[in-house]
Amino acid sequence: MRFRVRPVTRLAGAAVVPGDKSISHRAALLGALAEGPTEVHGYLEAEDCLRTIAAVQALGADVTRKGPGHYRIVGAGLAGLREPEDVLECGNSGTTARLLLGVLAGQPFCATLTGDASLRRRPMGRVTGPLARMGAAFLGRAGGTQLPLAVRGARPLSGLAYESPVASAQVKSAVLLAGLAADGPVSVTEPAPSRDHSERMLRRFGARVETRGPTVTLTPGPLSGATVHVPGDISSAAFLLVAGALVPGGRVTVARVGVNPTRTGLLDVLGAMGARLGRAEGREDAEPVADLTVEATGLAATEIGGALVPRLIDEVPVLAVAAAAARGRTLIRDAAELRVKESDRIAALARELGRMGVRVEERPDGLAVTGPQRFRGGRVASGGDHRMAMALTVAGLCADGETLVEDTACVATSFPQFVPTLNALAGTEAVIVEDGA
Ligand code: S3P
């Protein structure tokens, strides 16, 4: 699959984005571990989150799809999951793999996880390390640090006070989920705050979770089922908002977007770049939401680093596109984590934006872009990374001439409605055409 992208002359209107990927995964996992029913509304029905649903079903949770995005999950309780009969396929989803490893660490049975070529390259030692210290056993490639991985869980696990070397919500969440099966409190201390959806949802399901400065502590105890309304994913909205900020005359509103402060680095950066942003706040369950509006205006360069990085880590590909269009030198640093995402996004951005005539300086921990530069239509490739595919499409909308974005089936991992959503904002002209070739 590939996208043919034509430069857009108009981008205006209101859009919705599908449910938040991070929150959807957590709703399925906590639902499976809880006692009693959980109702999830607005679940992200994209490949990554459907992998998590399939995994919890294989582990014995009773899942019913009651309508689009509406799932009822009857949990098995902390001690009620069963050994899966087959390998758990995590596809492209790092969150499925790492959070499941946390769940499985505390189950007294054996399970094997695998994933696609990208996921099999990604580091798992960052979770198997602390989970092994709690008492779980792992066997797998590269000394038990890469999928396929077999896990033999144990109960009870030992409590742990873990100092994580990376600001990663996946690591933090894996340890907290394992902590549900521990014989004492577990804590995770992070170098900078990562997204806190697990903490919020664990509390909503009745867990004792305390956050003090950089440290989160969970005291083991049962979970009870809850109702979860999943807000729109700010990481998907990011593509629409940046496109709206860049296309002359653009005005785009995205309704009901999750604006948890641990996720809104994109809004801070767009604001610092001079974007005209409007925000109407609301609140649903444990997460804040807002209708976000952006109006096109000339953008100026900014610096992105430090504690801001985990708050926008998934938005860097599309922010690099914004930076190329902005006046001045934008520097993104402290973001070496980008090299171990669905692809090495630092190398991919330098290479693929380079193919559109945009010079990007690749640095070990980020990149620098001096703008404004013109995007030249041409042939680029996602490398199988959904966020690269969508960021390059946004660049194509602002380019001189047609852009061919190759390898775009991956968009279905997080935002299956991406193309029709952007085409609707473009009005009558179909600016993006999906091409099966
Ligand atoms: C996620 C956390 C982030 C993010 C990923 C989803 C999560 O990864 O990049 O897309 O749902 O916890 P890290 O926690 O590894 O930084």
Side-chain angles (χ1 to χ4, degrees):
M1 172 95 81
R2 58 193 191 178
F3 296 162
R4 285 183 187 283
V5 187
R6 284 195 287 121
V8 67
T9 52
R10 168 195 182 276
L11 206 67
V16 288
V17 287
D20 187 274
K21 182 156 78 69
S22 295
I23 296 173
S24 295
H25 285 298
R26 287 157 173 81
L29 291 167
L30 293 194
L33 288 169
E35 283 158 26
T38 287
E39 294 269 345
V40 191
H41 300 268
Y43 193 86
L44 173 60
E45 294 185 304
E47 282 170 12
D48 274 16
C49 295
L50 295 176
R51 298 284 186 197
T52 300
I53 291 276
V56 299
Q57 284 178 306
L59 291 167
D62 178 12
V63 181
T64 312
R65 183 176 187 269
K66 296 180 75 179
H70 181 190
Y71 289 80
R72 178 183 163 91
I73 304 168
V74 181
L78 291 177
L81 296 180
R82 59 159 197 251
E83 186 169 87
E85 287 170 17
D86 204 347
V87 172
L88 301 171
E89 173 57 71
C90 303
N92 191 244
S93 178
T95 312
T96 305
R98 296 199 179 107
L99 270 54
L100 260 185
L101 287 169
V103 169
L104 293 168
Q107 301 297 325
F109 53 70
C110 196
T112 305
L113 272 59
T114 193
D116 70 7
S118 154
L119 191 57
R120 293 196 306 271
R121 280 192 294 272
R122 297 179 65 187
M124 295 294 147
R126 53 178 60 194
V127 292
T128 56
L131 298 176
R133 282 170 57 189
M134 295 174 74
F138 299 91
L139 193 64
R141 292 167 59 224
T145 65
Q146 281 185 323
L147 301 183
L149 267 173
V151 47
R152 166 101 226 162
R155 177 163 316 121
L157 295 168
S158 333
L160 178 69
Y162 186 58
E163 296 252 354
S164 177
V166 279
S168 161
Q170 295 181 354
V171 172
K172 173 176 63 181
S173 304
V175 173
L176 294 177
L177 288 168
L180 292 167
D183 58 6
V186 289
S187 66
V188 182
T189 302
E190 295 192 281
S194 65
R195 63 193 67 192
D196 68 354
H197 305 301
S198 295
E199 296 91 305
R200 288 172 186 250
M201 203 183 291
L202 278 162
R203 286 188 196 109
R204 193 167 170 75
F205 277 69
R208 250 183 78 194
V209 178
E210 276 170 38
T211 305
R212 276 222 187 107
T215 303
V216 182
T217 304
L218 174 136
T219 306
L223 301 179
S224 42
T227 299
V228 179
H229 291 92
V230 182
D233 197 328
I234 192 168
S235 297
S236 297
F239 301 102
L240 311 182
L241 295 172
V242 169
L246 294 186
V247 173
R251 187 177 202 279
V252 170
T253 298
V254 191
R256 243 192 105 250
V257 180
V259 288
N260 177 319
T262 61
R263 293 285 298 284
T264 48
L266 167 88
L267 304 180
D268 295 355
V269 167
L270 287 178
M273 294 176 91
R276 268 187 246 146
L277 278 172
R279 182 169 161 157
E281 310 278 347
R283 194 182 176 84
E284 270 175 40
D285 303 339
E287 296 278 350
V289 298
D291 294 345
L292 300 173
T293 300
V294 71
E295 280 178 68
T297 181
L299 297 181
T302 189
E303 279 213 15
I304 300 172
L308 184 54
V309 172
R311 296 179 55 233
L312 49 66
I313 190 73
D314 293 338
E315 286 66 77
V316 170
V318 78
L319 279 172
V321 172
R327 189 173 13 89
R329 183 171 189 263
T330 293
L331 176 65
I332 303 176
R333 56 182 163 74
D334 306 322
E337 273 293 300
L338 291 170
R339 294 200 180 273
V340 291
K341 292 296 179 187
E342 286 82 330
S343 67
D344 175 345
R345 289 181 175 158
I346 296 176
L349 283 166
R351 186 182 63 240
E352 300 305 320
L353 290 178
R355 291 166 84 182
M356 297 184 81
V358 170
R359 284 173 311 284
V360 174
E361 183 196 327
E362 182 176 346
R363 301 162 63 93
D365 68 338
L367 31 94
V369 194
T370 302
Q373 299 188 51
R374 292 292 307 168
F375 299 100
R376 207 176 53 217
R379 188 183 281 254
V380 291
S382 74
D385 180 335
H386 56 136
R387 300 207 196 279
M388 284 301 301
M390 292 186 276
L392 291 167
T393 302
V394 172
L397 292 174
C398 309
D400 301 324
E402 185 180 276
T403 302
L404 203 59
V405 184
E406 308 216 59
D407 204 356
T408 53
C410 52
V411 164
T413 61
S414 66
F415 194 174
Q417 307 87 338
F418 174 70
V419 169
T421 304
L422 267 173
N423 278 338
L425 290 171
T428 46
E429 43 168 356
V431 283
I432 310 169
V433 176
E434 297 183 67
D435 178 347

